[in-house]
Amino acid sequence: MLDPTPKARVLIGKPGLDGHDRGAKYVAQVLRDAGFEVIYTGIRRSPEQIVEAAIQEDVAGIGLSLLSGAHNVLFKRVIDLLKERGASDIVVFGGGTIPPKDIPTLTAMGVKAVFTPGTPAKRIVETLDTLLAQPA
Amino acid sequence: MPYHGDIPNLIAQTASRGPASVRAAARLMSIVTDHPERVATMLAGATRWPQPRLVLGITGAPGSGKSTLTDQMAASFRARHPDRLLGILAVDPSSPFTGGAVLGDRVRMMRHATDPKVFIRSLASRGHLGGLALGARGVVRIMGLLGCDVVIIETVGVGQSEVEIAQNADLTVVVLAPGQGDSVQMLKAGLMEAGDVFVVNKADRPDAATLQANLLNMLKMGWMARVDLYHEELTCHGPQMLVAGQSADGGKALSSIPDLPLDAAAPPPVFLTSATNAQGIEPLVDHVESRAARDADAWRARRDTQITREVRDAVLESARKRIAHLIGRNGTSQATLAPVLEGRISVDELTDQLIRRALSDIDTTHRIQPT
């Protein structure tokens, strides 16, 4: 048995109204296997619910999965709410069917990484390892 | 609001119950779960912290409906006490292979996620056996500091012997569902002894009534066995001999038998619920509330004993660490231990020397500090 020392805590949530959670669950599983503690909050959550959960759970990162096309609005709302709550240190990343032309907009509002369909699992883990590296 | 990372500051922010208190409490919880070596700092003064009125444990096999029942009971407590805070601590297993975990209990509780009066914290078991997680007790205490009136602890899905919850909750609810075993399973030791209250969930299933009947039988038998043992002790070793339940002095001795301990006064009750349909919840919460009203004083005394034990453990651990530091790690301890290995002094003498050196180290550290 390996030494079960977890990496960072990460919240995976689906804001908005689409119910396609296969991607979110898959990423949750990938991150679990990579040693992260994943708090999975399920489908159709409001940005308020996601931010409140992230603060109570004291996570290092929030992963938003979205296939409805409302990413520009909902990602921004999450980032604004985090700012309001004094929790801007929580890293926000996202994934789903997000058109490449929107990625610069998301990056500009503070989304640290966007994983579109086809991203290798290994790259997601490596990116998060870097983004969520905890000071010892 | 920026929060400040040091423990006394986080404690003050949590206790202030202001807008930054939730984040501060969440950070403190991370400290107790991630940095057990810093818990000792937190414990100083923790007996003066406000405590929850009720710490309720919910335990049972995987898939018996613990999270859904927790969610329904939480809703009931919120409706009964609209102005009071409620804490939920949900423990899920960590992978013993990677250390990772998916904590999914929140999915069934999301309707509480924007209720400013509900604080939910998920913990991964992180290799800790017993059904809880390291630091769980500290998290409950921080919920008390935050002002939670009721704290519900939901354990990992347990098997037969993960009964740590019984030592950490005031009242333990064991949740069973139909199809999980026959009456012999119920005779086995462990989980079935840990329950103060039993719930047969998924009551909409056809075999739920059978399970409830079996369970009631088993609990009654267990209770009678305990009562028998208790009285036998009194009759054999008590001041007066009792013969076949009759006293030799015409009844006086019988009335001198003290009351049975509180939790043995009756077999534990069994409630039928269907958590997904919100059925059977209110009678269960009624019962829990009546126990809380009746036993509050006894529970408080028991919690004080727990804190004393924790502080004792923390002191011992701190002493152990200081001595261990002087002995050195496995590879470097040879020189320190040589006098014992060669038979020149005894283990006790070396221990005395190390304690003296630990004390003089403290003096030296104090001396070299400027001002």
Side-chain angles (χ1 to χ4, degrees):
Chain A
M1 198 186 282
L2 299 173
D3 177 26
T5 307
K7 296 181 188 172
R9 285 160 70 88
V10 179
L11 183 147
I12 298 290
K14 280 190 60 59
L17 295 178
D18 80 274
H20 304 283
D21 58 358
R22 196 179 164 87
K25 282 181 171 161
Y26 179 68
V27 170
Q29 170 106 29
V30 163
L31 294 180
R32 185 200 77 185
D33 289 346
F36 288 91
E37 282 183 8
V38 183
I39 288 113
Y40 182 66
T41 59
I43 57 173
R44 300 197 183 99
R45 302 307 173 199
S46 67
E48 285 79 4
Q49 286 177 319
I50 288 174
V51 167
E52 189 61 43
I55 287 174
Q56 292 182 359
E57 299 287 0
D58 196 26
V59 293
I62 299 178
L64 301 171
S65 165
L66 210 136
L67 287 82
S68 69
H71 43 269
N72 286 340
V73 177
L74 292 172
F75 281 39
K76 176 144 197 329
R77 181 82 185 125
V78 167
I79 286 172
D80 287 348
L81 284 167
L82 284 174
K83 211 169 287 170
E84 262 173 47
R85 300 291 300 270
S88 296
D89 54 303
I90 299 178
V91 171
V92 176
F93 60 96
T97 48
I98 292 166
K101 68 173 173 56
D102 286 348
I103 293 177
T105 319
L106 295 175
T107 313
M109 68 176 70
V111 178
K112 291 285 190 288
V114 177
F115 306 113
T116 49
T119 309
K122 202 168 168 220
R123 229 198 60 226
I124 299 179
V125 171
E126 283 167 358
T127 309
L128 292 186
D129 275 343
T130 315
L131 281 175
L132 307 178
Q134 289 172 316
Chain B
M1 281 132 285
Y3 65 90
H4 302 285
D6 63 299
I7 291 177
N9 226 318
L10 288 171
I11 290 174
Q13 283 191 46
T14 303
S16 77
R17 318 233 170 128
S21 60
V22 171
R23 185 115 214 258
R27 304 296 314 208
L28 277 178
M29 290 174 186
S30 296
I31 292 173
V32 297
T33 54
D34 299 355
H35 303 282
E37 76 281 0
R38 294 177 69 188
V39 173
T41 321
M42 258 190 50
L43 283 173
T47 45
R48 288 194 302 272
W49 292 7
Q51 290 183 16
R53 179 173 59 93
L54 164 67
V55 180
L56 182 68
I58 310 254
T59 190
S64 52
K66 294 181 296 300
S67 295
T68 313
L69 188 72
T70 301
D71 174 69
Q72 295 287 5
M73 291 185 81
S76 174
F77 281 120
R78 285 291 295 121
R80 285 160 195 247
H81 313 289
D83 52 336
R84 298 188 193 165
L85 277 182
L86 176 92
I88 298 174
L89 167 56
V91 188
D92 268 330
S94 294
S95 159
F97 302 102
T98 65
V102 172
L103 311 173
D105 291 329
R106 261 185 182 269
V107 174
R108 291 174 197 85
M109 303 173 191
M110 278 314 276
R111 64 173 155 155
H112 300 298
T114 37
D115 180 345
K117 299 272 183 199
V118 178
F119 189 113
I120 305 174
R121 181 66 171 225
S122 318
L123 292 187
S125 62
R126 295 186 183 172
H128 183 76
L129 304 174
L132 290 180
L134 270 186
R137 214 175 293 163
V139 171
V140 171
R141 199 159 300 146
I142 294 160
M143 285 181 169
L145 183 66
L146 189 65
C148 290
D149 173 55
V150 172
V151 172
I152 305 178
I153 308 176
E154 185 199 327
T155 70
V156 299
V158 298
Q160 291 167 329
S161 50
E162 296 100 329
V163 293
E164 198 181 14
I165 185 67
Q167 284 120 47
N168 289 279
D170 298 323
L171 201 66
T172 301
V173 176
V174 173
V175 186
L176 302 167
Q180 289 179 336
D182 61 6
S183 58
V184 179
Q185 292 297 334
M186 294 187 187
L187 281 176
K188 293 186 178 173
L191 183 63
M192 300 305 288
E193 293 172 287
D196 301 300
V197 175
F198 286 79
V199 167
V200 173
N201 193 30
K202 308 193 184 182
D204 44 310
R205 300 237 179 130
D207 39 355
T210 316
L211 175 62
Q212 189 196 21
N214 285 342
L215 184 58
L216 277 169
N217 259 334
M218 186 280 288
L219 292 171
K220 205 169 179 184
M221 196 164 70
W223 175 71
M224 278 161 51
R226 250 175 299 155
V227 172
D228 258 1
L229 281 171
Y230 186 79
H231 283 286
E232 203 166 298
E233 201 163 281
L234 281 175
T235 50
C236 296
H237 308 294
Q240 284 127 337
M241 272 300 269
L242 299 181
V243 182
Q246 293 288 317
S247 67
D249 63 348
K252 276 185 205 156
L254 267 183
S255 61
S256 76
I257 295 176
D259 287 338
L260 277 170
L262 209 53
D263 57 350
V270 179
F271 291 88
L272 265 176
T273 64
S274 174
T276 44
N277 301 317
Q279 279 167 7
I281 307 300
E282 290 310 312
L284 171 63
V285 178
D286 283 344
H287 177 79
V288 169
E289 286 282 18
S290 73
R291 296 281 287 266
R294 191 189 70 185
D295 300 342
D297 290 339
W299 291 348
R300 202 160 302 131
R302 195 164 62 181
R303 289 186 207 164
D304 287 348
T305 321
Q306 282 168 0
I307 298 186
T308 311
R309 198 183 320 140
E310 268 175 81
V311 173
R312 179 180 178 277
D313 291 348
V315 171
L316 285 174
E317 179 59 17
S318 165
R320 194 193 66 82
K321 268 192 189 144
R322 288 187 209 180
I323 306 288
H325 173 74
L326 287 174
I327 297 177
R329 286 167 185 280
N330 257 343
T332 60
S333 56
Q334 194 78 16
T336 320
L337 302 179
V340 174
L341 293 170
E342 292 156 10
R344 281 184 280 126
I345 63 172
S346 73
V347 170
D348 274 345
E349 281 168 318
L350 178 66
T351 309
D352 287 346
Q353 285 178 13
L354 288 172
I355 291 174
R356 271 195 294 275
R357 207 188 316 159
L359 288 172
S360 73
D361 279 2
I362 294 174
D363 288 346
T364 318
T365 331
H366 281 300
R367 265 202 300 276
I368 54 174
Q369 272 171 359
T371 65

